[in-house]
PDB file of all heavy atoms in Angstrom:
ATOM      1  N   TRP A  23     101.618 100.547 101.572  1.00 98.00           N
ATOM      2  CA  TRP A  23     101.491 100.400 100.031  1.00 98.00           C
ATOM      3  C   TRP A  23     102.476  99.354  99.407  1.00 98.00           C
ATOM      4  O   TRP A  23     102.503  99.278  98.237  1.00 98.00           O
ATOM      5  CB  TRP A  23     101.662 101.807  99.463  1.00 98.00           C
ATOM      6  CG  TRP A  23     102.809 102.556 100.010  1.00 98.00           C
ATOM      7  CD1 TRP A  23     102.606 103.536 100.917  1.00 98.00           C
ATOM      8  CD2 TRP A  23     104.153 102.299  99.956  1.00 98.00           C
ATOM      9  NE1 TRP A  23     103.885 104.027 101.484  1.00 98.00           N
ATOM     10  CE2 TRP A  23     104.874 103.351 100.847  1.00 98.00           C
ATOM     11  CE3 TRP A  23     105.018 101.464  99.216  1.00 98.00           C
ATOM     12  CZ2 TRP A  23     106.172 103.464 101.019  1.00 98.00           C
ATOM     13  CZ3 TRP A  23     106.406 101.593  99.354  1.00 98.00           C
ATOM     14  CH2 TRP A  23     106.925 102.544 100.238  1.00 98.00           C
ATOM     15  N   CYS A  24     103.156  98.663 100.298  1.00 98.00           N
ATOM     16  CA  CYS A  24     104.134  97.725  99.865  1.00 98.00           C
ATOM     17  C   CYS A  24     103.458  96.297  99.681  1.00 98.00           C
ATOM     18  O   CYS A  24     103.077  95.750 100.636  1.00 98.00           O
ATOM     19  CB  CYS A  24     105.279  97.644 100.781  1.00 98.00           C
ATOM     20  SG  CYS A  24     106.371  96.192 100.610  1.00 98.00           S
ATOM     21  N   SER A  25     103.585  95.757  98.520  1.00 98.00           N
ATOM     22  CA  SER A  25     102.946  94.350  98.199  1.00 98.00           C
ATOM     23  C   SER A  25     103.714  93.279  99.001  1.00 98.00           C
ATOM     24  O   SER A  25     103.084  92.334  99.358  1.00 98.00           O
ATOM     25  CB  SER A  25     103.030  94.105  96.801  1.00 98.00           C
ATOM     26  OG  SER A  25     102.298  95.063  96.027  1.00 98.00           O
ATOM     27  N   TYR A  26     105.006  93.415  99.194  1.00 98.00           N
ATOM     28  CA  TYR A  26     105.674  92.326 100.009  1.00 98.00           C
ATOM     29  C   TYR A  26     105.235  92.346 101.417  1.00 98.00           C
ATOM     30  O   TYR A  26     105.102  91.238 102.076  1.00 98.00           O
ATOM     31  CB  TYR A  26     107.205  92.544  99.929  1.00 98.00           C
ATOM     32  CG  TYR A  26     107.980  91.750  98.950  1.00 98.00           C
ATOM     33  CD1 TYR A  26     107.359  91.393  97.633  1.00 98.00           C
ATOM     34  CD2 TYR A  26     109.205  91.135  99.196  1.00 98.00           C
ATOM     35  CE1 TYR A  26     108.095  90.601  96.762  1.00 98.00           C
ATOM     36  CE2 TYR A  26     109.859  90.377  98.230  1.00 98.00           C
ATOM     37  CZ  TYR A  26     109.294  90.119  97.086  1.00 98.00           C
ATOM     38  OH  TYR A  26     109.890  89.306  96.142  1.00 98.00           O
ATOM     39  N   SER A  27     104.957  93.598 101.961  1.00 98.00           N
ATOM     40  CA  SER A  27     104.504  93.665 103.276  1.00 98.00           C
ATOM     41  C   SER A  27     103.112  93.003 103.389  1.00 98.00           C
ATOM     42  O   SER A  27     102.771  92.301 104.275  1.00 98.00           O
ATOM     43  CB  SER A  27     104.393  95.133 103.733  1.00 98.00           C
ATOM     44  OG  SER A  27     105.730  95.765 103.789  1.00 98.00           O
ATOM     45  N   VAL A  69     111.499  96.721 104.441  1.00 98.00           N
ATOM     46  CA  VAL A  69     110.258  96.168 104.935  1.00 98.00           C
ATOM     47  C   VAL A  69     109.770  95.051 103.936  1.00 98.00           C
ATOM     48  O   VAL A  69     110.272  94.989 102.861  1.00 98.00           O
ATOM     49  CB  VAL A  69     109.132  97.282 104.957  1.00 98.00           C
ATOM     50  CG1 VAL A  69     109.350  98.317 106.068  1.00 98.00           C
ATOM     51  CG2 VAL A  69     108.950  98.004 103.600  1.00 98.00           C
TER      52      VAL A  69
ATOM     53  N   TRP B  23     113.451 100.532  94.452  1.00 98.00           N
ATOM     54  CA  TRP B  23     113.479  99.822  95.763  1.00 98.00           C
ATOM     55  C   TRP B  23     112.302  98.898  96.041  1.00 98.00           C
ATOM     56  O   TRP B  23     112.079  98.341  96.981  1.00 98.00           O
ATOM     57  CB  TRP B  23     113.531 100.857  96.887  1.00 98.00           C
ATOM     58  CG  TRP B  23     112.723 102.079  96.623  1.00 98.00           C
ATOM     59  CD1 TRP B  23     113.171 103.197  96.188  1.00 98.00           C
ATOM     60  CD2 TRP B  23     111.294 102.179  96.777  1.00 98.00           C
ATOM     61  NE1 TRP B  23     112.104 104.073  95.942  1.00 98.00           N
ATOM     62  CE2 TRP B  23     110.927 103.458  96.323  1.00 98.00           C
ATOM     63  CE3 TRP B  23     110.205 101.338  97.131  1.00 98.00           C
ATOM     64  CZ2 TRP B  23     109.615 103.936  96.340  1.00 98.00           C
ATOM     65  CZ3 TRP B  23     108.979 101.756  97.088  1.00 98.00           C
ATOM     66  CH2 TRP B  23     108.647 103.090  96.723  1.00 98.00           C
ATOM     67  N   CYS B  24     111.489  98.700  94.927  1.00 98.00           N
ATOM     68  CA  CYS B  24     110.254  97.973  95.057  1.00 98.00           C
ATOM     69  C   CYS B  24     110.427  96.521  94.618  1.00 98.00           C
ATOM     70  O   CYS B  24     110.848  96.274  93.384  1.00 98.00           O
ATOM     71  CB  CYS B  24     109.116  98.577  94.117  1.00 98.00           C
ATOM     72  SG  CYS B  24     107.672  97.448  93.852  1.00 98.00           S
ATOM     73  N   SER B  25     110.242  95.502  95.434  1.00 98.00           N
ATOM     74  CA  SER B  25     110.448  94.138  95.101  1.00 98.00           C
ATOM     75  C   SER B  25     109.578  93.602  94.014  1.00 98.00           C
ATOM     76  O   SER B  25     109.951  92.697  93.187  1.00 98.00           O
ATOM     77  CB  SER B  25     110.331  93.216  96.360  1.00 98.00           C
ATOM     78  OG  SER B  25     111.206  93.646  97.341  1.00 98.00           O
ATOM     79  N   TYR B  26     108.318  94.089  93.896  1.00 98.00           N
ATOM     80  CA  TYR B  26     107.405  93.636  92.849  1.00 98.00           C
ATOM     81  C   TYR B  26     107.979  94.098  91.511  1.00 98.00           C
ATOM     82  O   TYR B  26     107.886  93.438  90.473  1.00 98.00           O
ATOM     83  CB  TYR B  26     105.996  94.157  93.042  1.00 98.00           C
ATOM     84  CG  TYR B  26     105.052  93.211  93.622  1.00 98.00           C
ATOM     85  CD1 TYR B  26     105.469  92.311  94.606  1.00 98.00           C
ATOM     86  CD2 TYR B  26     103.735  93.179  93.194  1.00 98.00           C
ATOM     87  CE1 TYR B  26     104.595  91.424  95.180  1.00 98.00           C
ATOM     88  CE2 TYR B  26     102.886  92.238  93.749  1.00 98.00           C
ATOM     89  CZ  TYR B  26     103.267  91.392  94.758  1.00 98.00           C
ATOM     90  OH  TYR B  26     102.395  90.460  95.350  1.00 98.00           O
ATOM     91  N   SER B  27     108.571  95.345  91.480  1.00 98.00           N
ATOM     92  CA  SER B  27     109.109  95.813  90.235  1.00 98.00           C
ATOM     93  C   SER B  27     110.291  94.933  89.898  1.00 98.00           C
ATOM     94  O   SER B  27     110.505  94.618  88.747  1.00 98.00           O
ATOM     95  CB  SER B  27     109.606  97.329  90.394  1.00 98.00           C
ATOM     96  OG  SER B  27     108.464  98.141  90.673  1.00 98.00           O
ATOM     97  N   VAL B  69     103.071 100.678  90.768  1.00 98.00           N
ATOM     98  CA  VAL B  69     104.268 100.088  90.018  1.00 98.00           C
ATOM     99  C   VAL B  69     104.245  98.628  90.398  1.00 98.00           C
ATOM    100  O   VAL B  69     103.873  98.248  91.521  1.00 98.00           O
ATOM    101  CB  VAL B  69     105.572 100.811  90.483  1.00 98.00           C
ATOM    102  CG1 VAL B  69     105.639 102.153  89.869  1.00 98.00           C
ATOM    103  CG2 VAL B  69     105.828 100.794  91.918  1.00 98.00           C
TER     104      VAL B  69
HETATM  105  S1  FES C   3     107.224  98.351  97.535  1.00 57.89           S
HETATM  106 FE1  FES C   3     106.735  96.992  95.914  1.00 57.89          FE
HETATM  107  S2  FES C   3     106.868  95.121  96.830  1.00 57.89           S
HETATM  108 FE2  FES C   3     107.321  96.460  98.473  1.00 57.89          FE
END
Side-chain angles (χ1 to χ4, degrees):
Chain A
W23 38 261
C24 165
S25 300
Y26 260 38
S27 297
V69 287
Chain B
W23 38 261
C24 165
S25 301
Y26 261 37
S27 297
V69 287

